[in-house]
Amino acid sequence: MGKKVNWVLDADIRGFFDAIDHGWLIKFLEHRIADRRVLRLIQKWLKAGVSEDGQWSKTEVGTPQGAVISPLLANVYLHYVLDLWTKQWRTEIATGDLIIVRYADDFVVGFQYRSDAERFLQELGGRMQKFGLALHPDKTRLIEFGRFAAENRQKRGDGKPETFTFLGFTHICGRKRQSRGFIVKRKTAAKRLRAKVKEVKERLFRQHHDPIPDQGLWLLRVLRGYYTYHGVPGNTECLATFRTLTARNWLKALRRRSQRNRMTWHRFAAIVDLWLPKVQILHPYPNERFYAKHPK
């Protein structure tokens, strides 16, 4: 927040968890862990191998994605490969504002100037290669994004500003309703929404013979959890879509119980109002929650 961002680097590391170099990882861990016994245990775990269909294979690089310790080791690895390097780059090379947001191996970088963005992207590729990593050529892109993106692109005849997806949200250049000031709109990524709707639908059809209160209690928890993560300002439409599709699939599942006594919409509407919570925006705008400043 409060940074002058006109360009965004939407980066993707190709096969990150499968490409972590064990030698570099142990060196990084030695900066933080003095107990050699702990380091030996981690080395044994990294070299334990993988068993698939009864066949054991040795692992020379990478950590099993999904394992409990993998996210922790991934954060340590990228802290030295990316975070500290970016901090130094911002201090010594950048001519304008630069901000990076990273979660595990997903990260986006915002720049004030295009020249900084292009140089950073070029040098980032070399930095990644040094530690056995590589940016995905098809999923890594530099886009014009920010307060002046729409105006600048309109002058060039390039159409609307591009969007990018990060942590399940599609980020869009938008305007406030009243003041028409710039705002970053966040909407649930369409792919993420479809996947969740499908997941809930499949379970509803599997358990359609369960008592309605049991199904309703489960759906109550699902929607509350969904609102807790996706309930950000400006995302009301996506939340309402998820609730509507969930209710529709629930009705279809209940109607499969019997061919004689079909569930009517009038009766079902009361069940929906009882068990499915209304759409809620549970998060404030980012500038109300935190205001992060990074010293040059």
Side-chain angles (χ1 to χ4, degrees):
M1 296 302 297
K3 293 292 181 180
K4 299 174 182 177
V5 174
N6 298 314
W7 295 85
V8 169
L9 173 61
D10 182 14
D12 182 86
I13 302 176
R14 182 168 52 189
F16 171 67
F17 285 92
D18 297 327
I20 293 178
D21 184 275
H22 292 177
W24 280 112
L25 178 59
I26 295 301
K27 289 181 180 180
F28 297 151
L29 291 173
E30 288 174 347
H31 283 280
R32 293 168 170 260
I33 302 174
D35 194 330
R36 306 300 301 180
R37 294 170 298 178
V38 175
L39 292 172
R40 284 197 298 271
L41 285 174
I42 294 176
Q43 286 178 304
K44 289 181 179 180
W45 178 84
L46 290 172
K47 298 178 180 179
V50 178
S51 179
E52 295 183 4
D53 300 327
Q55 298 293 325
W56 179 84
S57 59
K58 188 177 181 180
T59 54
E60 298 289 347
V61 294
T63 61
Q65 191 168 2
V68 177
I69 200 173
S70 288
L72 175 61
L73 297 179
N75 272 322
V76 173
Y77 199 81
L78 283 183
H79 173 72
Y80 289 97
V81 174
L82 179 64
D83 297 348
L84 295 182
W85 177 79
T86 301
K87 182 179 180 181
Q88 182 181 12
W89 202 95
R90 178 176 55 225
T91 303
E92 300 179 359
I93 300 177
T95 58
D97 285 349
L98 183 156
I99 184 171
I100 181 171
V101 180
R102 181 178 69 83
Y103 183 83
D105 61 323
D106 294 327
F107 67 95
V108 293
V109 190
F111 303 88
Q112 182 177 358
Y113 300 123
R114 180 173 184 172
S115 57
D116 282 347
E118 292 175 341
R119 181 176 178 181
F120 181 89
L121 176 57
Q122 181 180 5
E123 295 183 8
L124 178 62
R127 177 71 177 181
M128 290 290 176
Q129 186 177 9
K130 178 181 177 180
F131 295 95
L133 304 176
L135 296 175
H136 198 294
D138 298 326
K139 296 181 180 179
T140 300
R141 60 199 181 110
L142 183 62
I143 63 174
E144 189 173 11
F145 190 94
R147 186 179 304 275
F148 308 108
E151 180 181 351
N152 293 337
R153 289 177 65 86
Q154 186 177 13
K155 291 179 180 179
R156 299 194 303 265
D158 292 337
K160 295 182 179 179
E162 295 181 81
T163 64
F164 66 93
T165 301
F166 183 60
L167 299 183
F169 290 97
T170 298
H171 295 70
I172 308 166
C173 292
R175 295 288 178 183
K176 297 179 182 178
R177 290 185 179 180
Q178 297 181 350
S179 65
R180 305 304 298 170
F182 174 77
I183 188 173
V184 177
K185 293 183 178 180
R186 293 172 293 169
K187 293 186 177 181
T188 303
K191 184 178 180 180
R192 179 76 67 91
L193 178 60
R194 288 194 299 268
K196 189 62 178 179
V197 169
K198 181 180 179 182
E199 176 188 337
V200 173
K201 178 182 178 180
E202 291 176 349
R203 176 159 176 176
L204 285 172
F205 275 64
R206 287 198 308 268
Q207 63 183 26
H208 66 279
H209 282 298
D210 292 353
I212 289 179
D214 292 350
Q215 297 184 45
L217 182 60
W218 175 72
L219 287 174
L220 173 68
R221 293 169 179 167
V222 169
L223 264 70
R224 281 181 176 173
Y226 195 83
Y227 296 162
T228 299
Y229 185 81
H230 294 274
V232 300
N235 199 33
T236 303
E237 183 179 346
C238 291
L239 299 182
T241 299
F242 179 70
R243 184 179 187 270
T244 300
L245 293 177
T246 299
R248 186 179 300 170
N249 291 328
W250 193 15
L251 176 59
K252 290 180 181 178
L254 292 177
R255 283 179 171 175
R256 291 167 61 94
R257 292 173 134 193
S258 172
Q259 294 182 355
R260 291 186 188 177
N261 186 19
R262 293 176 65 84
M263 174 74 68
T264 64
W265 178 257
H266 179 73
R267 179 187 171 195
F268 181 68
I271 296 176
V272 170
D273 292 338
L274 178 63
W275 291 109
L276 301 190
K278 301 292 184 182
V279 170
Q280 294 177 292
I281 299 299
L282 301 177
H283 299 282
Y285 284 97
N287 59 335
E288 298 178 15
R289 172 170 288 175
F290 59 86
Y291 198 93
K293 288 187 176 180
H294 300 275
K296 286 283 292 181

